[in-house]
Amino acid sequence: MMIWLGALALYLLFRLWYDNWRGPMKPAEVEAFMTALTARAATDHESANNAELRDTIRSFLDNDDGREFVMLNLVKIAREAADPVTGAMTDGRVLLQRYSKPFIKALFARGGHPAYVARPAGGYVDAWGPGVPADPGWSIVGLMRYRSRRDMAALVLDPRFAAIHPYKIASTPLTFSFPTSPMLRLFVGPRLWVGLAIALGAALMQLTFSH
């Protein structure tokens, strides 16, 4: 019995970390975030300077449903770029890792994680419509799971990334990202497979101690 109670406690701890228990962002939280983002834009060299983008972010946060979401990222990595610190020409992937590794750790601490990462296996095979640009040569397609929009907002303003953000700018000459909500899911998510793994571990422990 103690083994299964311990397994249940472990799974509950996992869910406390993995799920958003605070609900949607409150209007005051959104306003505080937007104020901080606008203030940072005065010295920031990324797209936060774009007023239209800030409006898009505000709309996303104002319509928070409190649920998890997945950010779709398309990234083109430079073959070589100047290191923001030394100025030496460096492999773009090396520079990007100097940003992405700390970011993934911070994302994981807030219940997020990479859901899918892949490299293109070929160029566009289907693309049409006014304004659709030519294939720029994407390097990576990534899906990042966020526990909540609140967690995304906290990561955007995390001061720890101020020193390493230049590596992202230098290594990625072209990128775009947008949040998505699942409509059809055919893979087993962590809520299930973590529970099954804990149950399997408990069952094996029970078998071991029963003999």
Side-chain angles (χ1 to χ4, degrees):
M1 181 62 69
M2 293 303 298
I3 291 175
W4 289 101
L5 287 175
L8 177 59
L10 183 60
Y11 183 69
L12 290 177
L13 285 174
F14 162 73
R15 293 297 296 269
L16 284 172
W17 164 74
Y18 195 74
D19 294 341
N20 173 32
W21 297 94
R22 298 175 60 187
M25 292 184 72
K26 306 298 188 295
E29 291 181 278
V30 175
E31 196 61 42
F33 168 78
M34 294 307 304
T35 298
L37 185 66
T38 301
R40 194 185 71 174
T43 56
D44 203 341
H45 298 292
E46 62 171 329
S47 50
N49 286 297
N50 187 314
E52 182 178 354
L53 179 59
R54 292 202 299 273
D55 289 342
T56 299
I57 294 174
R58 173 182 281 278
S59 177
F60 180 58
L61 299 182
D62 282 338
N63 292 285
D64 189 3
D65 57 9
R67 299 177 182 177
E68 65 183 355
F69 71 94
V70 176
M71 188 73 77
L72 170 65
N73 303 283
L74 295 179
V75 180
K76 180 179 181 180
I77 304 174
R79 291 187 178 181
E80 275 193 331
D83 186 301
V85 176
T86 67
M89 296 304 294
T90 308
D91 188 314
R93 294 180 183 273
V94 173
L95 294 177
L96 183 57
Q97 287 180 356
R98 294 175 185 171
Y99 171 82
S100 60
K101 287 184 177 180
F103 177 80
I104 293 299
K105 290 180 180 179
L107 179 65
F108 186 80
R110 290 186 167 274
H113 57 80
Y116 178 80
V117 179
R119 66 171 63 92
Y124 290 169
V125 297
D126 196 11
W128 72 84
V132 174
D135 184 351
W138 299 114
S139 306
I140 292 177
V141 178
L143 295 174
M144 298 292 174
R145 185 265 182 182
Y146 285 78
R147 181 172 58 188
S148 70
R149 303 184 196 194
R150 179 182 291 105
D151 289 294
M152 183 202 75
L155 286 169
V156 168
L157 296 178
D158 193 325
R160 292 177 296 174
F161 298 127
I164 61 174
H165 202 78
Y167 290 112
K168 177 182 178 181
I169 301 299
S171 62
T172 55
L174 189 62
T175 183
F176 73 79
S177 308
F178 60 88
T180 68
S181 296
M183 294 177 63
L184 176 64
R185 182 178 297 173
L186 300 179
F187 60 87
V188 176
R191 291 182 182 86
L192 181 56
W193 65 255
V194 168
L196 291 174
I198 292 174
L200 177 61
L204 291 175
M205 288 182 64
Q206 185 174 19
L207 288 173
T208 299
F209 289 113
S210 64
H211 290 79

